[in-house]
Amino acid sequence: SVSVVTLLVLSVFANRAQASPRQDPIPAVMLTVPASTLLGNTLNFTVTFDNTSAAPGNVGYGPFIDLLLPKNGWDGVTAPGYDGITFTNATYLGSGLTVNTLDCPAGTTITHPLLKTNYVCPAAPAGYAGPMPFVWQLNVLTLPFGSFVEDQPTITIDVTAQESGWADIGQALPIQARGGFMFGKDPLDNPGSDPVILGGTATKTTTPSVVIL
């Protein structure tokens, strides 16, 4: 038979479980981007990924980063070429990452290459006046981990991009990033019961310049 003490212990654990429901992991990113970039040169910057949940055991599965670059620059001119910033590659500890790259016209909806769900492209930067529609370049970086626990050290992704030689001097170009867990809180692809978890958006700018002091 089950003793009274055992029943009391089980009751305490049950009450604790009800009082402390499992929290979500929190995918967070930080951008480190140079304030100025020499016109037409390579742009090197980093994206740092972390699971910032404070609760033990909050594991996120399928970590990834959405990285948005301002492909067509400040005035949207496409000839003789886009005058913004375009993606070249991304590495972690020297090894290349799997990256899916798509054009993302501001305010339109495209299909996210990993999540297979609708992705609404951000609006054009404040003050953008065209004449062409603003086009972001969406780069989806698949991180080389099956999961990411809350006490795992942050990882830093090195990104190389190319700034156009036709970029508008002195006009800041925005870069955005957000983190996510494509499988949510378990390793199964079951979005109906365990949806994708997305973090907040980080934004930085870099300004094309002919001289960097």
Side-chain angles (χ1 to χ4, degrees):
S1 62
V2 180
S3 69
V4 174
V5 173
T6 301
L7 289 174
L8 288 174
V9 170
L10 291 174
S11 176
V12 168
F13 277 105
N15 289 334
R16 286 181 178 177
Q18 292 175 1
S20 303
R22 185 179 178 185
Q23 299 177 6
D24 288 344
I26 303 172
V29 297
M30 180 179 69
L31 282 165
T32 303
V33 178
S36 299
T37 309
L38 281 173
L39 186 68
N41 274 29
T42 297
L43 170 63
N44 296 305
F45 63 95
T46 62
V47 188
T48 301
F49 183 94
D50 193 13
N51 177 357
T52 60
S53 174
N58 282 353
V59 184
Y61 291 86
F64 69 93
I65 295 171
D66 288 336
L67 175 66
L68 284 160
L69 299 177
K71 181 175 180 177
N72 69 341
W74 193 250
D75 55 20
V77 174
T78 58
Y82 287 106
D83 64 347
I85 299 171
T86 51
F87 180 82
T88 303
N89 62 58
T91 63
Y92 173 63
L93 298 180
S95 297
L97 300 183
T98 298
V99 181
N100 291 275
T101 299
L102 303 87
D103 282 353
C104 197
T108 67
T109 300
I110 63 174
T111 300
H112 193 283
L114 287 187
L115 309 179
K116 307 305 180 186
T117 56
N118 287 340
Y119 177 91
V120 179
C121 303
Y128 178 77
M132 303 295 290
F134 191 87
V135 177
W136 296 95
Q137 184 188 64
L138 173 64
N139 303 277
V140 182
L141 286 55
T142 302
L143 302 186
F145 300 90
S147 62
F148 209 96
V149 300
E150 85 290 339
D151 59 354
Q152 187 168 334
T154 61
I155 66 168
T156 297
I157 306 301
D158 295 300
V159 178
T160 301
Q162 180 65 43
E163 182 183 271
S164 170
W166 298 92
D168 295 81
I169 296 171
Q171 192 65 252
L173 296 172
I175 296 172
Q176 296 185 8
R178 73 172 182 182
F181 294 117
M182 66 179 297
F183 298 127
K185 294 183 286 187
D186 67 42
L188 304 178
D189 187 7
N190 52 351
S193 58
D194 182 26
V196 61
I197 298 172
L198 299 172
T201 299
T203 303
K204 293 287 186 178
T205 63
T206 189
T207 302
S209 175
V210 292
V211 177
I212 297 180
L213 300 178

